[in-house]
Amino acid sequence: MSGHGGYGNGQDGGGPAVAPVGRRTELLRLEGELERAHTHGARLVSIGGEPWVGKSRLAGELASRARARGWRVAAGRAVRGGAGLPFGVVVDALDDHVSADVPGAARLEAVFPALGAAYAPAEPVGPDSPQAYWLIRALRTVIEHLARPAGLLLVLDDAHRADPLSRELLAHLAEHPPQAPVVTVLVHRDTASVPLPRGDRDAHAGLHLDVAPLADRDAAALLPPALTAVERRMLLRDAAGLPGLLRALRFPDDSGTTEVYGTWELECGTPPALARSSGAELRASQSPAAWLTACAAAVLGGAFTAQDVARVADVPLRETLAGLDELQREGIVRAVRDSRFRFRHPAVRALVLNASDGGWRVGARTRAQVRTAVQPVTRRRELDAARAELGRAPAVAARRLARHTASVEGLLLHARALVASGRPEQAVTGYAAAWPRIDEAGEDVRAEAVESYGLALRLLGRWQDARDVLLGAGGGARVALARQLACAALALESGESTGRQSAAEWAAQAACTASALGDGAGRARALGLAAAAEAAGGRFEGAAEAASVAAHALDALEPGAWEARLDALPWLTDAQIYVGRRREAERRLTEGFALAFDRGQVPQAGRLALGLATVRLLAEDTTAAADHADVAVETALRCGGGPLAVDALLCRARVHLAAGESVAAGRLAQSAARFAAPLGGMWQERADRRLQDIGVVRRHEDPAAGGEPPGASLETLSRREAQVAALVSEGCTNAQIAARLLLSPKTVETYLSRIFKKFGIVSRAQVAHLVGLEAAARR
């Protein structure tokens, strides 16, 4: 039989079979059931797991291997809703294999189309029908005949949708196994409401296999090659290890620079258009009522009630309840507390919303807004809502706050959102406009602005501007604490004192101020800075002691104080790495990076990715180190280059060097030296040390040096390469570049690859930055 879910397609035994990615152990266990069927009799195998985890793919590979061994393979799929002809899933599997001369077939003429069954049975047949007893036993006889002599693999997919008679037959086969080498495989979703025979209840019955999501390393092998490190990281996060969902979410090859969005935007906000397809497969797998219910729930986002969904869908409540029941059985939504439901995966909600009809979606959103509009929307409510979004989706907050920059508070919040989403240059412009009126804002807003403005200038390496802003800020204890924390960070990053005080002195002062205010979060951040200052000064014992105190203070914070955790983690883990507590540092960095990435906090994600790359490199895990270093490089360049770019590029160079790739390491170190040039002595020395380690001298110091380092002029590019680079710097995608230059997208990719190789870079953002530097140099 061919068709059914790909079960008829596979190898013919001409070469070694290759297991689906990450499924070798599961496939070996399934193959073992084929062996046991010949020695111990019929086996019942249950393959369960959530949607898109790869259950059908696994069963299809088993079918290919069984066929290569000479087994007969029969595969069928249950129809949506479980209704239809009696024994529907079994008939779908066996109809191509039965004939009138098969023993027991005479009793089944009313069931199998191949034996002359009409479109519908003359009399209804149900589990309690007198006919059911004889039909079930006749089917068992047919299965036994088809299994001889080589064996029968009977694969029943979507068995959770099976009709009642099919379930009765399966229960009968579990209690009375066929007297032949038969392996019956039930592929189903992990919904407890559907009763299925479980092989693990009886040692002689067979096997129950739970298919788990793939680990990141296995899932990464399924990604298309033309993705940036950030795109890869987002896809792995959003797909949650589900191969089918990973394929549905994959970015197009010409996606260009991708904005870092958080999971909140998938779950509650207006999600990005994740899928290239229209979601037709997802839509086709649901009944019309369930699909309408899913679309209405996707418009609402977050946790929703059946009543809310019924209003937005504009259908009776009983239809919504039936739709929710189906979506639960299918593993699309799950029940949460207070009679609410939620999408099982935020990315599925985004796919459903993007696949819904545009006109219907507009009306549904209007109904949803009417439902929630208890109070008129005021500027104050808009600002409060944007402030809440700033912590979980700063890019969304920036778009919303762009409408409220007439007020000082709105302008300051907008600039803060720009910093958090990785656009410090735009933020500095906003802060400069708001700063003369800073006193009009409340103290908490001013304190946040002082730190955020200082961070924006530090990200750009504008040390003196940062000193002027921070030392000139005043008014209120909260503002004083923000200034002290920012000055400590500035002194650490610039390598110079701020206002005649060292980083350690500013950190100690901030710890005292935070204690006086009863601000545990501020104290934890100050202690993290103090530990980093001790490490930067080469004081091992002081760094070890300060790191212990800071770690204790950080662990004592309330779970909701995630911003303080993210601010303190890079400093604390720097000290922990310095004193040899790498395992603890790695644990904290892993948790912090996931949090920052999920919330779209670009600068923090970059810093923490750099820390992870460092600890993985120290552990000699160059693959993981390269992955995180690439994320750090991309986020650093998105944030305007500056000190984070220098450290990220130097770390990536170290990874290349550890892998024996000295040429690539030299190119990246040269790029780091170029970024370090305007940052001052400490950063130049850091880049020069790495260049010396690699055995490369800066090109402007040794004109006779060979190779083509990334600091070379754009004049080294061909005319067409220079055109492509210029269009990349304008934000054009590969498709847009191809259209403007009358090339194919594949040719554009080739030119981009050459540019990357010549300059030793890894992303389009780096190309744009280098074009900008060249233009600035000419001015």
Side-chain angles (χ1 to χ4, degrees):
M1 182 176 184
S2 63
H4 299 291
Y7 297 112
N9 302 321
Q11 291 182 285
D12 298 322
V18 178
V21 172
R23 303 300 187 203
R24 184 174 181 275
T25 300
E26 291 90 338
L27 192 55
L28 287 174
R29 293 182 67 188
L30 290 172
E31 279 195 286
E33 294 301 298
L34 299 179
E35 302 287 349
R36 293 185 185 92
H38 275 296
T39 56
H40 300 293
R43 312 290 291 176
L44 181 63
V45 176
S46 172
I47 302 178
E50 60 180 303
W52 304 288
V53 79
K55 306 179 297 295
S56 297
R57 172 75 176 85
L58 191 59
E61 183 59 34
L62 176 65
S64 295
R65 297 188 177 203
R67 186 175 290 104
R69 294 175 179 220
W71 281 56
R72 184 195 296 267
V73 175
R77 187 183 298 275
V79 298
R80 183 182 60 219
L85 295 174
F87 305 105
V89 64
V90 180
V91 169
D92 189 40
L94 298 179
D95 195 50
D96 287 352
H97 299 270
V98 299
S99 59
D101 59 346
V102 173
R107 289 184 176 272
L108 300 170
E109 289 181 352
V111 174
F112 283 96
L115 300 177
Y119 178 74
E123 298 179 6
V125 180
D128 299 327
S129 168
Q131 287 182 275
Y133 176 88
W134 300 106
L135 291 175
I136 287 173
R137 279 148 184 81
L139 275 167
R140 179 172 175 271
T141 301
V142 168
I143 289 170
E144 289 177 337
H145 174 78
L146 294 176
R148 298 187 181 101
L152 170 66
L153 177 66
L154 178 61
V155 181
L156 306 180
D157 206 345
D158 286 336
H160 58 285
R161 299 173 179 167
D163 60 279
L165 275 174
S166 291
R167 291 205 294 267
E168 286 290 321
L169 172 64
L170 293 173
H172 175 77
L173 295 178
E175 295 174 6
H176 307 283
Q179 301 302 302
V182 177
V183 176
T184 304
V185 177
L186 310 180
V187 183
H188 62 93
R189 296 189 175 179
D190 57 355
T191 47
S193 60
V194 179
L196 291 171
R198 291 287 296 269
D200 56 2
R201 292 178 182 170
D202 185 338
H204 300 290
L207 169 71
H208 176 72
L209 192 65
D210 283 311
V211 182
L214 293 175
D216 274 359
R217 286 198 175 185
D218 292 326
L222 301 174
L223 293 174
L227 296 177
T228 69
V230 170
E231 288 172 335
R232 291 172 65 85
R233 177 64 55 178
M234 286 194 293
L235 279 174
L236 292 174
R237 177 197 67 191
D238 298 339
L242 306 178
L245 195 52
L246 194 65
R247 287 190 291 272
L249 296 174
R250 63 173 55 183
F251 287 95
D253 293 343
D254 58 353
S255 56
T257 302
T258 301
E259 187 172 39
V260 179
Y261 55 81
T263 52
W264 183 87
E265 293 179 65
L266 300 181
E267 186 172 10
C268 300
T270 301
L274 297 176
R276 177 184 298 181
S277 68
S278 63
E281 182 179 350
L282 183 64
R283 185 170 188 163
S285 67
Q286 315 302 321
S287 68
W291 175 249
L292 181 60
T293 301
C295 290
V299 168
L300 289 167
F304 50 84
T305 66
Q307 290 80 1
D308 292 338
V309 173
R311 293 190 194 102
V312 172
D314 197 22
V315 298
L317 179 60
R318 64 178 181 277
E319 293 183 21
T320 298
L321 291 172
L324 284 172
D325 286 342
E326 182 178 334
L327 293 174
Q328 273 193 285
R329 288 195 300 270
E330 294 295 315
I332 305 297
V333 303
R334 58 186 174 86
V336 294
R337 63 173 182 263
D338 300 329
S339 300
R340 292 177 177 269
F341 300 84
R342 186 182 291 273
F343 278 92
R344 189 165 184 171
H345 294 287
V348 174
R349 179 255 173 179
L351 287 173
V352 171
L353 190 61
N354 284 323
S356 61
D357 295 330
W360 176 89
R361 190 162 60 241
V362 170
R365 281 177 169 157
T366 301
R367 292 189 291 273
Q369 290 168 359
V370 170
R371 180 185 60 84
T372 57
V374 180
Q375 303 177 31
V377 176
T378 63
R379 187 181 66 84
R380 179 72 264 160
R381 284 168 56 81
E382 278 279 342
L383 289 177
D384 289 343
R387 181 187 290 274
E389 284 179 343
L390 206 157
R392 56 196 179 188
V396 174
R399 291 194 291 270
R400 174 176 290 190
L401 287 163
R403 303 192 299 267
H404 297 282
T405 54
S407 69
V408 173
E409 182 179 0
L411 190 55
L412 292 173
L413 287 174
H414 180 240
R416 184 177 164 213
L418 290 172
V419 176
S421 59
R423 289 169 282 181
E425 291 184 4
Q426 297 176 43
V428 166
T429 301
Y431 276 127
W435 220 242
R437 300 166 55 198
I438 186 70
D439 291 338
E440 296 177 22
E443 184 176 358
D444 287 342
V445 174
R446 282 186 285 125
E448 292 168 351
V450 166
E451 279 204 73
S452 181
Y453 195 3
L455 174 59
L457 293 168
R458 283 163 37 215
L459 287 169
L460 299 172
R462 293 169 55 175
W463 310 129
Q464 189 54 52
D465 290 342
R467 291 187 191 98
D468 293 343
V469 167
L470 295 176
L471 296 176
R478 292 285 177 191
V479 176
L481 175 59
R483 181 179 65 251
Q484 292 157 4
L485 291 168
C487 284
L490 175 60
L492 273 170
E493 288 184 347
S494 67
E496 300 173 357
S497 62
T498 303
R500 298 184 180 180
Q501 286 190 192
S502 67
E505 289 170 330
W506 280 114
Q509 194 173 343
C512 291
T513 304
S515 296
L517 290 171
D519 186 345
R523 181 173 177 273
R525 293 169 59 198
L527 292 172
L529 285 160
E534 292 294 307
R539 298 180 288 272
F540 185 90
E541 292 183 0
E545 182 179 354
S548 297
V549 175
H552 180 75
L554 204 60
D555 292 338
L557 293 179
E558 294 292 329
W562 63 269
E563 288 180 281
R565 282 190 167 83
L566 289 182
D567 287 337
L569 272 178
W571 308 113
L572 170 60
T573 52
D574 280 352
Q576 289 178 327
I577 293 170
Y578 172 72
V579 300
R581 300 174 187 170
R582 294 173 190 165
R583 183 165 296 181
E584 181 182 353
E586 182 175 3
R587 175 182 62 81
R588 292 182 183 276
L589 286 165
T590 301
E591 294 172 356
F593 173 71
L595 179 60
F597 202 77
D598 287 350
R599 290 177 175 263
Q601 308 290 317
V602 177
Q604 299 287 21
R607 281 290 306 274
L608 294 165
L610 177 59
L612 275 172
T614 301
V615 294
R616 299 277 164 80
L617 185 58
L618 291 171
E620 300 182 353
D621 185 353
T622 55
T623 301
D627 180 42
H628 285 100
D630 285 341
V631 173
V633 169
E634 288 184 25
T635 52
L637 293 173
R638 178 182 173 84
C639 292
L644 181 56
V646 176
D647 273 343
L649 288 165
L650 289 177
C651 181
R652 190 64 177 92
R654 289 175 61 198
V655 175
H656 276 304
L657 197 59
E661 301 164 351
S662 58
V663 175
R667 287 174 173 163
L668 286 176
Q670 286 276 15
S671 285
R674 181 167 182 165
F675 280 107
L679 299 179
M682 181 185 81
W683 291 92
Q684 290 174 330
E685 291 171 7
R686 187 177 298 183
D688 286 342
R689 282 198 304 272
R690 182 58 53 209
L691 286 168
Q692 291 168 9
D693 292 343
I694 298 169
V696 176
V697 180
R698 273 203 248 182
R699 187 166 179 79
H700 73 267
E701 295 175 348
D702 183 10
E708 194 62 61
S713 169
L714 291 177
E715 294 176 0
T716 60
L717 298 178
S718 69
R719 181 180 65 86
R720 187 64 88 184
E721 288 168 352
Q723 290 174 331
V724 170
L727 291 173
V728 166
S729 72
E730 295 176 12
C732 295
T733 66
N734 284 6
Q736 291 168 334
I737 295 172
R740 290 177 64 172
L741 298 182
L742 302 179
L743 301 171
S744 72
K746 285 293 182 183
T747 304
V748 174
E749 287 181 19
T750 301
Y751 281 123
L752 267 178
S753 298
R754 292 176 185 171
I755 295 168
F756 290 168
K757 185 175 181 181
K758 284 185 177 182
F759 283 85
I761 55 182
V762 295
S763 73
R764 303 167 70 94
Q766 288 173 283
V767 175
H769 191 79
L770 290 174
V771 172
L773 288 176
E774 191 82 5
R778 285 196 296 269
R779 290 196 298 268

